[in-house]
Amino acid sequence: MSASLPQPFGRYVLRERVGQGGMAEVFRATLAGFGGFERPVAIKRMFRDYGNDPAFVEMLTDEAKIVSQLAHPNIVQVLDAGQQDGCYFLAFEYVDGVDLFRLLQRHHELGRDLPVGLAAYIIAELCAALDHAHGRKAADGSSLGIVHRDVSPQNVLLSLAGEVKLADFGIAKAALRYTHTQAGLVKGKIYYMSPEQVLGNAIDHRSDLFAAGILLYECLTTQPLYDEVDTHKLYDLVATARYAWPDDKRGRVPEPLVAVVAQALHVSPAARYASGRAMRDAILAAAASAGMSADRESLARYLRET
């Protein structure tokens, strides 16, 4: 695991480690082809110890099976899955850019605000990805019931070409899932959970849209929705969906976008947007009404400059 890079990994060559979590590490890699052709890919390589845990292996194969059914320009595509050198892995399309967490962190460090139009565009594209995932159907026409359950800044990738892509369906739940998680188990990042998720209640696609509402708020303010470090107090805030707009940020956000955030973050799922498409349309209409629209090219230009 500690061998220097680059190093061969089956059909791939691992070039650079770009991330690491508690269960896996992610590499920028290449897949060699005919006549010197090389395709850039991302390899998520699980730590060897987890390969001995059948439940973990099932979760990994679930991710591959779920994402393989999603074909959308705003969703990172899975290309391969398998085992190599005693390690399970997934291969994804490589997104050359940064994640939303890093972009917001950079703006916070510089004391800068993300332009409102770009904030709206990024989350509108995220909503398009969610709408596709939520709407996927099985061969018999029934809903797959896919819920991402971990919509967070680290899982929203922004390419230098201005693309917005949702990644990491590792804890996604599908109604027709091939394995089942323990009932009531709370997973994901508590800051980006819906009230029903943190309470361990049943969730559906509207829980993902709540998380998208949090990301919209954070893109508009470059601040976290909840400013609380005490776990018990944070749990209460999340469970009741209580938040406030910062006094120094509220004035820069057009009222229509404030209204979008309010609906997305309603404590009752029934009062939120019914679909990712509906939320996307509302975001784009709100930005347009304020004369603050943006597009892929403007995001690409902004990322290159930033």
Side-chain angles (χ1 to χ4, degrees):
M1 286 294 193
S2 59
S4 60
L5 299 176
Q7 68 178 96
F9 185 68
R11 299 190 300 147
Y12 306 95
V13 176
L14 306 182
R15 301 290 182 182
E16 175 189 9
R17 189 168 71 176
V18 295
Q20 178 176 336
M23 297 184 293
E25 50 192 346
V26 180
F27 296 88
R28 178 178 63 83
T30 52
L31 172 63
F34 177 76
F37 168 81
E38 285 189 340
R39 177 177 183 174
V41 297
I43 298 289
K44 179 197 285 187
R45 184 172 69 177
M46 312 304 159
F47 293 127
R48 186 173 283 108
D49 290 347
Y50 288 96
N52 299 320
D53 181 351
F56 179 82
V57 175
E58 288 176 342
M59 185 177 74
L60 176 67
T61 56
D62 278 354
E63 178 176 7
K65 290 174 181 177
I66 289 173
V67 181
S68 68
Q69 299 179 71
L70 306 176
H72 192 274
N74 295 118
I75 294 177
V76 175
Q77 299 298 294
V78 63
L79 306 173
D80 190 14
Q83 186 181 28
Q84 179 67 39
D85 302 333
C87 300
Y88 288 92
F89 74 93
L90 293 174
F92 298 92
E93 66 170 306
Y94 180 73
V95 180
D96 184 17
V98 298
D99 62 39
L100 182 57
F101 175 81
R102 180 57 187 145
L103 182 67
L104 293 177
Q105 182 184 53
R106 182 61 173 160
H107 281 73
H108 183 73
E109 292 169 352
L110 296 175
R112 289 172 52 186
D113 290 318
L114 183 65
V116 170
L118 290 179
Y121 174 74
I122 290 169
I123 307 305
E125 293 290 280
L126 168 62
C127 287
L130 291 172
D131 188 68
H132 175 78
H134 296 158
R136 290 298 293 159
K137 297 184 182 300
D140 62 3
S142 62
S143 173
L144 286 174
I146 294 174
V147 183
H148 188 284
R149 301 205 305 169
D150 192 16
V151 178
S152 58
Q154 292 88 342
N155 289 334
V156 178
L157 308 184
L158 311 173
S159 82
L160 294 178
E163 302 161 309
V164 179
K165 292 179 177 283
L166 177 60
D168 201 350
F169 281 75
I171 64 171
K173 176 76 177 293
L176 301 180
R177 190 165 177 165
Y178 303 89
T179 60
H180 303 280
T181 56
Q182 179 181 340
L185 186 63
V186 175
K187 293 183 175 181
K189 303 173 179 68
I190 188 171
Y191 277 94
Y192 299 98
M193 287 182 177
S194 63
E196 60 271 23
Q197 186 177 10
V198 79
L199 290 170
N201 297 331
I203 65 172
D204 60 19
H205 66 284
R206 293 169 297 185
S207 182
D208 284 346
L209 298 181
F210 185 95
I214 297 178
L215 296 193
L216 179 57
Y217 172 97
E218 294 190 349
C219 284
L220 293 169
T221 65
T222 59
Q223 294 185 18
L225 182 71
Y226 306 113
D227 185 19
E228 180 58 67
V229 295
D230 181 272
T231 302
H232 295 292
K233 293 180 180 178
L234 174 62
Y235 182 92
D236 183 60
L237 286 175
V238 176
T240 55
R242 285 185 286 124
Y243 69 97
W245 288 88
D247 292 338
D248 61 336
K249 303 287 187 177
R250 177 65 180 78
R252 70 181 295 268
V253 183
E255 283 298 329
L257 279 173
V258 172
V260 171
V261 172
Q263 183 169 344
L265 298 184
H266 200 287
V267 68
S268 170
R272 297 175 203 153
Y273 291 99
S275 67
R277 177 182 293 274
M279 185 170 170
R280 178 181 183 272
D281 290 346
I283 292 172
L284 294 179
S289 69
M292 295 180 172
S293 297
D295 56 19
R296 174 174 168 173
E297 181 51 41
S298 56
L299 176 59
R301 184 168 55 251
Y302 187 81
L303 291 175
R304 290 193 296 267
E305 293 170 353
T306 302

